[in-house]
Amino acid sequence: MASGSLLPLASRPAFGTSFDAAFMRQSADQKALAGSVALQTLTEDQPLLPGRYSVEVSINQAYLGQRSITVDHDAQGRGLQACIEANLLREVGVREQALPVALEGDNDCLDLSALIEEAQARLDARNLSLELSIPQASLRRDVMDNIDPSRWDQGIDSAFVNYQISSQARSPQGNGRQTSLDLQFHSGLNFGPWRLRSSQALREGEKSHRQWSQSNTYVQRDLPGKFGNLTFGETFSDGSIFRSLPFKGVQLASDMSMLPDVLQNYAPVIRGVAQTRAKLEVLQNGYPLYSTYVAPGPYVIDDLGVSAGSGELEIVLTEADGQVRRFLQPYSTLGNLLRDGVWRYSATLGRYDGIEQIASPLLWQATLARGGAWDTTLYGGVQGSEHYRAASLGAARDLGSWGALSLDVTQADSDLGRQLGEVRGHSYAARFGKAFQTGTNLRFAGYRYSTQGYRDFDEAVRERNAYTGYLGNRRSRLETSLYQRIGQHSSLSLTLSQDDYWHNDLRRQQYQLQFNTYFGNVSYNLFASQALTTNSKHDRLFGLSISLPLDIVRSANASFDMQSDGIRHSQRASLTGSALDNRLSYVTSASRDEGMSGTAVVVSSASVLIQICAA
């Protein structure tokens, strides 16, 4: 045996043979009985002595890597066992909140089978490997594309300017030449964790009238540990619960894009029990969506990535003995549904910065939402100012084959000044979404009813300051988005919104109805729409558009449009295209309009739109 080690050089001795440990050479730093212990281990066919070793660790047959593990005799003296320490369990992803006792000492040896039902640890001393088998439901899911925030990179310090130039020239018959020019800048500065952003625009219209504007100037930094960011300057408040409002100030808000891709949108949680180590597959419309292996015992799949809307998932569980079990799980989603355990928050403080520039009252707002058990999301928030207070509370639920539904209620107290005094009211909202087997997708349907005393924040500001453009406070709002697939090449879509108001007969409606189809390379779009501004039937527009690619010019399309609003009829032919990697685009067109008098007026215009974008 070499100095400094106790590695035996002979095979197991024959029965009845014994050796004197005094003939073994030992280094000065070894214990006096080390030779005797080594001989006893060799005689008992034990490949290892108790101690600490570098061991290959795997969890549910997924390789984890080499870890330093303490090996010792088990309590019954039947052989060697690995010491399962708390820090190892944390590293493999055990859900600590689901354990009967808390993990305290990092280096204490734990009884894995007593700590987690059906969990096992098998040590292969000869191959220096440790196989952990832990039910999947007891493990924290390390989702796809998840990178620990400590490894995020802030990027390099830099400055940049993105610019976009849009120029248009028109030559209507008899009206001379008309030109317009738009120049837009989106600039920024990155310094350490901070980002400065600003947008500017220069517009030159007829008679060389020029207008310069600046907006959305703010400085921002990420907060990786909080999955959010901190913003100072001009921005918009969170619009998930209250209406989004422009303001100047500070905002702390979650950033869903910091989460792994599969956690950014809602998806159902799949639960079940595996009899053996089984393969689990999830199919959507017959196509594989997800595949993994689960250990014996309960499992929870909470890192699915599914398409928005609604659908039905097929779960296929193949046990180790070949037995196959199938389950169906319908699901439906809404924009305010979150995955179980995902938070969304915002805190806002600043001055209201409305486009009407009539007042800049203090604005503060806080919102919070959390995805929870039973496919339910709870959300709420508060909003206020010197003369305004509002609070909201609601819940959203995935009802499976019945669709997805959310309900909320908001109470608001508004001080409208000396003449109007204080008013109080409530607003009730319901949202619904569902996909049907017929190919109909009710993407979103919402209805909000407000009592006579209810005001949104911007409504209260406008009414308190007697703004001339104030239409009144809303009584109800209806909105919906419907999509219907027809065959392999066609679809029908409808978007609709309608607002009506207290104390007047005003009803604002807008809709867009489109039928799309294509044959070969030619696409057809038949549409009808109504503008939001008034109820006049002249705002209703009907039309047909035909578009086809041109082989003679790269990245070019020709289109033919016919439109009518009942009084005015027009036809137009256009040629569109792009070049320089889409940094330059152009449009040329010729049109013919027929006015109210019935006399055809040939506009015969040739217009060119040049757009250059660069960074």
Side-chain angles (χ1 to χ4, degrees), residues 1 6-8 24 33-43 46 49:
M1 180 170 292
L6 293 174
L7 294 177
M24 300 183 66
L33 298 178
S36 299
V37 174
L39 286 175
Q40 181 182 357
T41 300
L42 179 63
T43 304
Q46 293 186 11
L49 288 172

Side-chain angles (χ1 to χ4, degrees), residues 243 455-463 470 472-474:
R243 292 177 62 183
R455 304 290 191 280
D456 283 328
F457 182 89
D458 51 348
E459 291 177 342
V461 172
R462 292 169 184 171
E463 188 170 7
Y470 177 59
N473 58 309
R474 286 184 181 86

Side-chain angles (χ1 to χ4, degrees), residues 256-451:
M256 301 299 287
S257 64
M258 290 186 180
L259 296 173
D261 292 343
V262 297
L263 293 184
Q264 295 178 17
N265 299 301
Y266 170 80
V269 176
I270 297 176
R271 294 180 172 87
V273 178
Q275 304 299 321
T276 62
R277 174 170 172 78
K279 180 181 181 180
L280 186 144
E281 297 175 284
V282 181
L283 308 178
Q284 187 175 29
N285 299 323
Y287 293 96
L289 182 69
Y290 182 94
S291 179
T292 190
Y293 286 89
V294 295
Y299 60 82
V300 176
I301 306 299
D302 56 5
D303 59 347
L304 283 176
V306 299
S307 58
S310 306
E312 195 172 62
L313 302 177
E314 181 181 4
I315 297 93
V316 181
L317 191 68
T318 306
E319 301 282 359
D321 58 4
Q323 179 185 3
V324 179
R325 290 183 290 164
R326 297 176 180 270
F327 311 91
L328 292 178
Q329 180 161 334
Y331 75 96
S332 298
T333 67
L334 283 175
N336 52 5
L337 270 173
L338 300 176
R339 289 178 184 260
D340 187 8
V342 174
W343 294 82
R344 182 169 59 205
Y345 63 89
S346 72
T348 301
L349 178 64
R351 291 283 177 181
Y352 176 65
D353 189 31
I355 189 65
E356 61 275 1
Q357 297 294 316
I358 55 174
S360 300
L362 181 69
L363 168 65
W364 54 264
Q365 176 180 302
T367 65
L368 185 65
R370 186 187 188 278
W374 304 297
D375 303 317
T376 300
T377 298
L378 299 178
Y379 55 90
V382 291
Q383 186 184 71
S385 183
E386 298 100 326
H387 308 291
Y388 185 84
R389 298 287 187 278
S392 180
L393 184 64
R397 175 77 188 276
D398 173 9
L399 302 175
S401 58
W402 294 93
L405 177 68
S406 72
L407 300 170
D408 59 69
V409 58
T410 304
Q411 175 182 301
D413 298 326
S414 307
D415 183 357
L416 303 179
R418 294 183 179 180
Q419 294 183 347
L420 300 176
E422 297 184 3
V423 294
R424 167 180 291 187
H426 295 81
S427 182
Y428 308 92
R431 300 175 182 87
F432 178 77
K434 177 176 171 55
F436 299 88
Q437 296 296 331
T438 58
T440 303
N441 188 350
L442 185 60
R443 295 179 178 174
F444 180 82
Y447 180 76
R448 176 178 290 274
Y449 174 79
S450 302
T451 60

